[in-house]
Amino acid sequence: MSTCAQSLVRLLEGYGVELVFGIPGVHTVELYRGLHGSRLRHISPRHEQGAGFMADGYARASGKPGVCFIITGPGMTNILTAMGQAYADSVPMLVISTTNRREHLRLGHGHLHELPDQRAMVAGACAFSHTLQSPNELPELLARAFAIFQCARPRPVHIEIPLDVLEMPADHLNLMPRSLPGAPAPAPASIQAAATLLNGAHRPLILAGGGARGCAEVLQQLAEQLYAPVALTTNARGLLPCGHRLLLDGVQSSAHGRALVDEADVILAVGTELGETDYDFFGLGPLHFKAPLIRLDIDPMQVMGVQRAHVGLLGDAREGLQMLLERIAPVAARGRWAEDSVQRVNQCERDGWSVKQRGLQGLLDLLRDSLGSPLLVGDSTQPVYQGASGYQAPMPASWFNAGSGYGTLGYGLPAAIGAKLAQPDRPVVALVGDGGLQFTCAELIAAREAQIGVILLVWNNQCYAEIRDYMQAREIPALGVEILTPDFKAMAASFHVEYHRAQDPTQLHELLLAFADTREPVMLEVDAEAYLASL
């Protein structure tokens, strides 16, 4: 007999799932009966939040949904923070959880892991949450989940399975994966209206976000055809190659970046919320567009968002950009303005950096240049915040972090583990502060156990430095930020992980070269004060 749990695993295999992140519990053991003998590799994190962050990093680096098996109750409350980060950043994640038996639901009789309404609690952090009432629903629900991942705004999906349903017979189910639809293309009439605006522009500007992650080639072609400067959000870094003549640094939050927005006479926003953490990082206030705005997005809520669009293009970013490209006539006269503007604004951005900011930027550039084409996964830490202003990624999906959107701490290490599982042949660096690492440091031993060769770079300034500086700037006593820092060398040893310390760029460069191809995790601690003083 094939049970519902075993059929679920077979369906996941059919949809191309390769990895599952989870911690077995008494409420999920039937799922593990299904995993045994399957093609799916199981990774055991040390906390369900770590499982969610690993799934997030895997999804961003692979383009495939990250999948988690989570127990009822505390497992779901633990993973909610990771689901919130994935929801904010439009990351595909499938969370399969259990829940109490159907006859026990919402009665409050004190059963193990019981919550009043687990599905309702989770619903606010996912595209949809559903309680499976019968194995018969399983094929349809998984098809809906994978359709969202492929042709809508990708966000977490939660399916909870009551304990009695897990064990029900499911031999009768058709386990052939359903054919998934393609993402919709924008309406031709809307495309023509947008093309008319762009063709008539003298100073076009492109604002690209994470929704354009899979469109690097066509985005670059369109920018070059238009002679349009391109500003990339955190999740869009790498869509134009480093040093491209039309590539703006992360200037859209700065005063001179805002001035360029005012100077433009048509603005094309692609796959971006135009939200605070990408466009108002310095508290200058909401964006106000003087020029006509064209918004291209798969999500109608964004097309019709707070920033009113003169032309709304609802559909797949790649399809929409390709349709625009076919209708755009190059006008060489725009080229001088575009290239001059990029040079001027980028130089203005860099001229405004403090000595410390230059040192942090140098650290990021050293990581990139020492490792070739690394994938940098950041936590909320000072070097990462600097990267929001100045880091140019070598390719798409090679720079992501928790410093935008939901903005959680503890993301960097587990997300980097997931990214390394997706890209085993590329150097993957977890760039984490000493404070943020303490949220999820236990996942380092999970990486050692699974032999995942992530480079953990600990930026140790012995405090929550970003929050300390924020408090001091507002004349607030810096309480609660001067934290006791662990002995990271001893921590690494206890987790069976190799450890090295760097105090200047030369030492760090040599260590990066030595561990570029590591097949096991390694911890590199950088003394922030000594490193910056050495410059």
Side-chain angles (χ1 to χ4, degrees):
M1 183 189 74
S2 178
T3 66
C4 178
Q6 291 168 318
S7 296
L8 167 67
V9 172
R10 288 183 59 191
L11 272 169
L12 292 176
E13 288 180 316
Y15 282 108
V17 174
E18 299 170 335
L19 282 168
V20 171
F21 302 93
I23 303 172
V26 294
H27 279 188
T28 56
V29 291
E30 287 301 322
L31 292 172
Y32 285 81
R33 188 195 303 276
L35 275 180
H36 180 71
S38 75
R39 297 192 303 273
L40 304 186
R41 181 182 179 186
H42 181 268
I43 301 295
S44 295
R46 297 305 187 259
H47 191 281
E48 287 88 1
Q49 186 178 104
F53 288 148
M54 288 180 190
D56 177 300
Y58 173 82
R60 297 192 202 219
S62 69
K64 302 176 182 179
V67 179
C68 300
F69 284 176
I70 303 297
I71 66 162
T72 320
M76 283 310 304
T77 54
N78 284 343
I79 201 175
L80 266 176
T81 293
M83 293 179 68
Q85 186 73 45
Y87 185 90
D89 284 349
S90 302
V91 176
M93 180 189 298
L94 178 59
V95 178
I96 306 291
S97 83
T98 49
T99 192
N100 296 94
R101 298 177 64 89
R102 289 175 296 172
E103 65 266 28
H104 297 157
L105 288 177
R106 291 178 284 280
L107 292 177
H109 289 169
H111 293 283
L112 179 65
H113 299 331
E114 185 177 20
L115 282 168
D117 193 336
Q118 178 175 273
R119 191 209 63 78
M121 178 190 73
V122 178
C126 55
F128 74 83
S129 176
H130 184 90
T131 305
L132 198 74
Q133 297 293 333
S134 160
N136 295 339
E137 300 173 2
L138 187 60
E140 177 184 350
L141 281 175
L142 281 183
R144 287 185 181 183
F146 282 90
I148 285 175
F149 300 149
Q150 178 165 301
C151 60
R153 185 176 187 177
R155 277 174 157 165
V157 167
H158 170 236
I159 299 173
E160 62 175 14
I161 307 177
L163 295 175
D164 55 318
V165 176
L166 269 182
E167 301 181 48
M168 286 182 175
D171 293 295
H172 61 288
L173 295 182
N174 181 351
L175 300 182
M176 180 69 67
R178 299 191 185 187
S179 178
L180 299 175
S190 298
I191 286 287
Q192 187 55 55
T196 299
L197 275 176
L198 290 168
N199 279 323
H202 299 286
R203 298 179 302 280
L205 174 67
I206 296 176
L207 307 176
R213 277 184 296 238
C215 313
E217 184 178 355
V218 65
L219 178 70
Q220 182 176 338
Q221 290 175 345
L222 181 63
E224 292 172 348
Q225 190 90 326
L226 276 171
Y227 295 100
V230 180
L232 302 174
T233 67
T234 292
N235 288 323
R237 297 295 169 87
L239 291 181
L240 263 64
C242 298
H244 192 282
R245 66 187 188 278
L246 296 174
L247 177 58
L248 292 159
D249 284 334
V251 300
Q252 50 266 41
S253 275
S254 61
H256 43 279
R258 296 287 187 92
L260 183 63
V261 171
D262 289 344
E263 194 176 338
D265 59 3
V266 175
I267 297 167
L268 171 62
V270 185
T272 173
E273 294 175 313
L274 301 174
E276 177 188 51
T277 54
D278 281 309
Y279 294 91
D280 191 23
F281 199 72
F282 302 113
L284 299 179
L287 285 168
H288 296 287
F289 292 110
K290 297 179 180 179
L293 174 65
I294 302 165
R295 296 197 74 169
L296 169 57
D297 205 288
I298 195 72
D299 184 354
M301 300 298 286
Q302 294 306 317
V303 174
M304 294 290 107
V306 65
Q307 298 292 347
R308 182 174 181 174
H310 286 69
V311 178
L313 305 176
L314 177 61
D316 179 69
R318 178 189 292 275
E319 290 283 343
L321 290 172
Q322 186 63 49
M323 293 168 74
L324 286 173
L325 180 62
E326 293 167 1
R327 292 164 173 80
I328 296 300
V331 179
R334 299 188 190 119
R336 179 68 179 272
W337 173 83
E339 294 184 24
D340 286 352
S341 296
V342 169
Q343 291 178 11
R344 167 172 50 85
V345 174
N346 283 351
Q347 190 62 51
C348 188
E349 173 70 21
R350 292 173 179 262
D351 287 346
W353 290 345
S354 67
V355 172
K356 181 178 180 179
Q357 285 178 295
R358 294 178 190 278
L360 295 173
Q361 187 62 50
L363 171 73
L364 298 174
D365 294 343
L366 177 66
L367 291 173
R368 180 193 62 209
D369 299 339
S370 297
L371 295 172
S373 296
L375 202 163
L376 304 187
V377 184
D379 217 295
S380 294
T381 188
Q382 286 190 325
V384 169
Y385 288 130
Q386 173 57 34
S389 296
Y391 184 68
Q392 295 191 1
M395 62 180 64
S398 58
W399 166 263
F400 50 86
N401 56 72
S404 64
Y406 201 53
T408 181
L409 271 171
Y411 172 87
L413 173 58
I417 292 169
K420 184 65 176 180
L421 286 164
Q423 300 284 347
D425 297 325
R426 287 183 63 190
V428 175
V429 178
L431 181 53
V432 183
D434 57 291
L437 179 59
Q438 293 180 62
F439 278 57
T440 51
C441 59
E443 303 308 345
L444 185 58
I445 201 167
R448 175 63 180 82
E449 178 180 70
Q451 294 187 304
I452 301 168
V454 66
I455 300 171
L456 170 59
L457 194 153
V458 184
W459 180 256
N460 186 0
N461 48 30
Q462 301 185 30
C463 65
Y464 296 127
E466 190 68 20
I467 304 304
R468 178 202 61 196
D469 294 351
Y470 188 87
M471 294 172 78
Q472 290 175 345
R474 284 152 183 77
E475 299 182 348
I476 299 170
L479 298 177
V481 292
E482 301 293 342
I483 57 174
L484 181 62
T485 301
D487 181 334
F488 289 112
K489 182 177 181 180
M491 177 189 289
S494 70
F495 288 167
H496 315 291
V497 169
E498 190 167 348
Y499 166 93
H500 295 273
R501 185 181 177 93
Q503 298 197 94
D504 60 55
T506 300
Q507 291 179 355
L508 181 57
H509 174 69
E510 291 172 353
L511 287 169
L512 292 170
L513 292 180
F515 292 103
D517 298 320
T518 183
R519 295 297 169 181
E520 293 188 350
V522 60
M523 180 190 289
L524 307 181
E525 181 182 355
V526 177
D527 184 312
E529 184 177 355
Y531 187 94
L532 293 173
S534 73
L535 302 176

